[in-house]
């Protein structure tokens, strides 16, 4: 049996076409079912539904053989014990710094003031501000980061942005892009050895189902 860990929401939705390309379709409707283990059309493959932040943990400890996790989640987890063979280029967004429209971020950085930063991504945020030589007090949150600058909890947030509409709706502005984010296939290293053939085949099927990467123009 091969167990694949997915999280509900966009990773689940955007993984389905890749699974289909690998000959794996869900045997039951995940919406109507409250089940956390889903059978597939392949008798040797099942899907488990876990929290997005728990995918690396499941795969690391063998609760799942492979999984799909955002780079944001992987960076916070650390990636220990995980083989990361593929960027699936799904659930694409970016990790950014945002502040209230009336907060002068450039001036605060220039003056060397200590900035209070609220985020779910403390590890990425710590590295980012350390690289810039900016002194920060990090405040760990688990959600609704946008609220932190509005309530005075923090001066800035580090959060995921895709269209920017959530930031705009809360009168926040993106002042720095830290990195591009997409979801990665992660594989348990022991499973890769023990179930090498079927896992390799799934990796290859995913790989051939990925849209072609637009070639970087060399003529700029
Ligand atoms: P949750 O809110 O439970 O963390 P999401 O579906 O919002 O679940 O996020 C799962 C993953 O999708 C994140 O870890 C990230 O990699 C990616 N993601 C999050 N927000 C966005 C977004 N706005 N656009 C695209 N991808 C995103
Ligand atoms: Mg979310």
């Amino acid at each position: 049996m091969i167990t694949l860990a997915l999280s509900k929401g966009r990773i689940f939705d955007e993984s389905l076409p890749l699974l289909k390309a690998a000959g794996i379709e869900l045997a039951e409707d995940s919406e109507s079912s409250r089940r956390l283990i889903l059978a597939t059309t392949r008798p040797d493959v099942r899907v488990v539904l876990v929290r997005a932040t728990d995918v690396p943990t499941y795969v690391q400890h063998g609760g799942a053989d492979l999984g799909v996790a955002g780079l944001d989640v992987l960076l916070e987890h650390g990636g220990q014990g995980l083989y990361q063979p593929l960027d699936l280029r799904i659930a694409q967004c970016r990790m950014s710094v945002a502040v209230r429209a009336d907060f002068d971020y450039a001036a605060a950085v220039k003056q060397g003031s200590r900035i209070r930063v609220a985020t779910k991504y403390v590890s990425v945020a710590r590295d980012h501000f350390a690289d810039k030589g900016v002194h920060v007090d990090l405040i760990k949150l688990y959600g609704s980061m946008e609220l932190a600058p509005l309530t005075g909890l923090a001066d800035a947030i580090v959060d995921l942005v895709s269209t920017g509409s959530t930031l705009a709706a809360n009168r926040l502005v993106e002042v720095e892009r830290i990195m591009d984010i997409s979801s990665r296939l992660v594989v348990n290293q022991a499973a890769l050895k023990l179930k090498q053939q079927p896992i390799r085949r799934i990796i290859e099927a995913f790989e051939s189902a990925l849209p072609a990467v637009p070639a970087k123009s060399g003529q700029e």
Side-chain angles (χ1 to χ4, degrees), residues 89-148:
R89 308 201 288 276
I90 60 171
Q92 292 189 339
C93 53
R94 55 192 185 270
M95 181 115 45
S96 293
V97 182
V99 299
R100 257 166 65 157
D102 59 3
F103 180 77
D104 193 343
Y105 177 71
V109 167
K110 209 166 155 193
Q111 285 160 16
S113 358
R114 249 189 129 72
I115 299 173
R116 288 168 306 147
V117 179
T119 187
K120 194 163 144 184
Y121 306 104
V122 284
S123 170
V124 171
R126 185 178 295 113
D127 289 353
H128 172 71
F129 291 108
D131 283 352
K132 287 171 56 86
V134 173
H135 299 288
V136 291
D137 289 320
L138 291 169
I139 303 167
K140 167 84 181 181
L141 291 178
Y142 293 87
S144 302
M145 261 86 81
E146 301 83 9
L147 196 54

Side-chain angles (χ1 to χ4, degrees), residues 7-12 14 50-53 68-74 90-94 120-121 142-143 159-164 166 181-184:
S7 57
K8 276 203 173 181
R10 48 172 70 79
I11 288 187
F12 181 82
E14 295 185 34
V50 304
R51 287 290 298 264
T53 43
V68 177
L71 177 61
D72 51 317
V73 162
L74 284 170
I90 60 171
Q92 292 189 339
C93 53
R94 55 192 185 270
K120 194 163 144 184
Y121 306 104
Y142 293 87
D159 198 3
L160 299 177
V161 182
S162 50
T163 62
T166 306
I181 298 289
S182 58
S183 287
R184 314 295 161 110

Side-chain angles (χ1 to χ4, degrees), residues 30-124:
S30 68
E31 296 300 319
S32 64
S33 153
R34 281 162 178 256
R35 269 198 277 259
L36 299 175
I37 301 183
L38 305 174
T40 74
T41 47
R42 267 182 56 174
D44 63 327
V45 180
R46 63 181 184 173
V47 168
V48 293
L49 297 174
V50 304
R51 287 290 298 264
T53 43
D54 292 335
V55 168
T57 308
Y58 267 82
V59 176
Q60 175 186 6
H61 299 289
D65 299 304
L66 61 177
V68 177
L71 177 61
D72 51 317
V73 162
L74 284 170
L75 289 172
E76 290 303 309
H77 169 269
Q80 310 89 324
L82 300 176
Y83 172 55
Q84 301 180 32
L86 274 185
D87 179 354
L88 299 173
R89 308 201 288 276
I90 60 171
Q92 292 189 339
C93 53
R94 55 192 185 270
M95 181 115 45
S96 293
V97 182
V99 299
R100 257 166 65 157
D102 59 3
F103 180 77
D104 193 343
Y105 177 71
V109 167
K110 209 166 155 193
Q111 285 160 16
S113 358
R114 249 189 129 72
I115 299 173
R116 288 168 306 147
V117 179
T119 187
K120 194 163 144 184
Y121 306 104
V122 284
S123 170
V124 171

